[in-house]
Amino acid sequence: MQWEFVVALVLAIPAVLFPVAFVWYLNIGGMAAMLKEARKRRTAREQAGDKVVAEQKAVK
């Protein structure tokens, strides 16, 4: 291989892969935020359900 070709590959490969890696990073970050929010909502719903159960026991 010619050294010019190797240099071109060394420069071109990161330039091509960076946008792909950036999009993956955004997608994975979005999924992580979605899961965190879903856990927070589920916890709040469970706590609200516990309060309802406690109130129902108090009424009986």
Side-chain angles (χ1 to χ4, degrees):
M1 260 191 231
Q2 298 288 333
W3 70 271
E4 295 93 350
F5 185 69
V6 172
V7 170
L9 283 176
V10 167
L11 295 176
I13 290 174
V16 170
L17 291 180
F18 178 75
V20 174
F22 185 65
V23 169
W24 283 358
Y25 167 75
L26 291 176
N27 285 335
I28 291 171
M31 285 187 277
M34 177 191 65
L35 291 173
K36 184 177 179 182
E37 183 64 29
R39 273 192 228 115
K40 187 188 299 184
R41 281 194 314 259
R42 184 176 60 189
T43 302
R45 188 173 55 239
E46 287 174 354
Q47 288 177 350
D50 291 345
K51 290 178 184 176
V52 170
V53 170
E55 289 174 2
Q56 288 174 350
K57 286 182 180 179
V59 171
K60 289 183 181 180

